Amino acid sequence: AKTAGRNTLRFYDQQMQAVIAARVLLEQELRLALIDNQFRLYYQPQVIDRLIIGVEALIRWQHPQHGLRQPLDFIPLAEENGLIVPIGQWVLDSACAQIKAWESHPQMEHLQLAVNVSLRQFRQADFVERVSCIIQHYAIRPHRLKLEITESQLMENIDDAIEKIRALRELGVRFSMDDFGTGYSSLANLKKLPIDQLKIDRSFVKDILRNDDDRIIVQTIIAMANKMHLEVIAEGVETEHQRDFLILNGCNLHQGYLYGKPMSLATLEQLLTESIDD
Ligand code: C2E
Ligand code: CA
Ligand code: CA
Ligand code: CA
């Protein structure tokens, strides 16, 4: 029995080592990916009434062996080990370069570009300077850029958040509260935050037509946003029923598979060029 126990231990030990080795490898690969320019931005339309008014930039990793990898495969680890900071910096820089490039496209120049900012990135003491530096570098109009920050992120140190948001909004940068409804912000805190938009989390939109609670939550968020003169966008809109329900309840700005999945730059530009023709 003693030997069996020892063998089991050794087995777990080997498994642990394999897990650790995989993490170390992934971390090395992520560092290389930054140097080697393997990250890509995909773009998902944000739509009012079939008109694309903006896009959300979503990161992908063009892995040399494993193909296109999704954020869930690497963002959580990057958030743990801090690589999310240089990765996030790359995202911001690329997004602003894209805004600049679109200025000379009549079909693209009106687009707002939303960028996800992670907690560690936002927490940097010089976050405001970093963003304003990039904006100046590309000489873009700041209101083309929208930063998406999650509710829990904002609540962690609300005074620091307010200060940073205020400084960037003074420049013209816009702010959206991402995953709204999943955190624990009080209405008092919400009132204090100088944001432009609430983004209703997909988890509530998903069951809007089946689940009474979700329906009431969504209706309440929309009513509250409208009262507070905040823009409100629903994410994860997949069906016409969901769309109709949202419009009926006062939310016209949508994002989701019904309108388009995250797509490459080439596909987006093609889509926007075509929609002018019809
Ligand atoms: P998120 O910010 O909540 O982004 C929305 C996610 O929902 C995206 O997943 C998008 O593809 C997906 N989605 C959009 N519409 C639908 C729909 O109708 N149905 C379904 N089933 N899904 C939909 P994605 O691209 O895999 O990104 C996952 C998460 O990874 C994002 O959640 C965000 O938290 C994070 N992420 C993505 N890009 C970045 C980035 O550049 N920086 C940081 N810090 N995080 C990022
Ligand atoms: Ca987002
Ligand atoms: Ca979400
Ligand atoms: Ca999110």
Side-chain angles (χ1 to χ4, degrees), residues 44 56 58-60 70-71 75 84 91 116-118 148 178-179 202 235-238 256-257 262:
Q44 188 178 32
E56 178 179 2
L58 293 156
I59 195 170
R60 300 291 182 263
Q70 305 294 312
I75 292 290
I84 193 64
V91 171
N116 292 284
V117 175
S118 82
E148 293 196 1
D178 206 356
D179 296 344
R202 176 158 61 89
E235 80 174 0
V237 181
E238 293 185 356
Y257 293 174

Side-chain angles (χ1 to χ4, degrees), residues 13 16 20 29 40 53 57 62 80 84 90 164 173 181 192 199 277:
D13 203 43
M16 274 291 261
I20 292 167
E29 285 184 321
R40 303 283 179 271
I53 61 130
Q62 189 62 58
E80 266 179 55
I84 193 64
W90 177 87
K164 284 173 172 157
V173 177
K192 277 202 267 176
K199 191 168 206 183
D277 301 332

Side-chain angles (χ1 to χ4, degrees), residues 130-147:
R130 281 168 182 260
V131 175
S132 65
C133 247
I134 296 175
I135 288 172
Q136 278 170 21
H137 175 77
Y138 290 105
I140 56 167
R141 289 164 291 182
H143 60 271
R144 293 272 168 257
L145 179 66
K146 183 179 284 167
L147 301 183

Side-chain angles (χ1 to χ4, degrees), residues 26 30 39 59-61 69-78:
L26 182 58
L30 280 175
F39 293 113
I59 195 170
R60 300 291 182 263
W61 177 12
R69 297 182 71 172
Q70 305 294 312
L72 259 182
D73 296 341
F74 61 94
I75 292 290
L77 179 71

Side-chain angles (χ1 to χ4, degrees), residues 1-14:
K2 233 181 181 174
T3 344
R6 221 177 285 140
N7 282 339
T8 314
L9 261 183
R10 192 176 301 145
F11 177 67
Y12 280 127
D13 203 43
Q14 280 169 355

Side-chain angles (χ1 to χ4, degrees), residues 1-156:
K2 233 181 181 174
T3 344
R6 221 177 285 140
N7 282 339
T8 314
L9 261 183
R10 192 176 301 145
F11 177 67
Y12 280 127
D13 203 43
Q14 280 169 355
Q15 272 196 325
M16 274 291 261
Q17 277 175 10
V19 169
I20 292 167
R23 285 173 59 109
V24 171
L25 177 65
L26 182 58
E27 186 172 330
Q28 284 169 349
E29 285 184 321
L30 280 175
R31 288 184 199 282
L32 183 65
L34 268 169
I35 299 166
D36 205 29
N37 210 16
Q38 293 169 7
F39 293 113
R40 303 283 179 271
L41 289 183
Y42 269 46
Y43 302 92
Q44 188 178 32
Q46 301 186 328
V47 174
I48 300 179
D49 235 2
R50 293 180 68 219
L51 192 72
I52 299 175
I53 61 130
V55 291
E56 178 179 2
L58 293 156
I59 195 170
R60 300 291 182 263
W61 177 12
Q62 189 62 58
H63 191 284
Q65 284 92 42
H66 306 130
L68 199 68
R69 297 182 71 172
Q70 305 294 312
L72 259 182
D73 296 341
F74 61 94
I75 292 290
L77 179 71
E79 278 176 345
E80 266 179 55
N81 64 23
L83 278 174
I84 193 64
V85 173
I87 292 175
Q89 182 81 9
W90 177 87
V91 171
L92 265 173
D93 192 274
S94 309
C96 291
Q98 198 52 64
I99 292 173
K100 185 72 197 171
W102 283 340
E103 277 182 4
S104 50
H105 284 242
Q107 294 96 340
M108 319 291 288
E109 63 171 354
H110 69 284
L111 289 180
Q112 276 230 339
L113 183 47
V115 170
N116 292 284
V117 175
S118 82
L119 177 63
R120 284 177 87 142
Q121 201 187 348
F122 187 62
R123 266 307 167 68
Q124 296 171 100
D126 60 349
F127 179 72
V128 171
E129 288 84 68
R130 281 168 182 260
V131 175
S132 65
C133 247
I134 296 175
I135 288 172
Q136 278 170 21
H137 175 77
Y138 290 105
I140 56 167
R141 289 164 291 182
H143 60 271
R144 293 272 168 257
L145 179 66
K146 183 179 284 167
L147 301 183
E148 293 196 1
I149 311 222
T150 62
E151 191 183 349
S152 39
Q153 236 165 293
L154 290 173
M155 293 309 150
E156 194 148 301

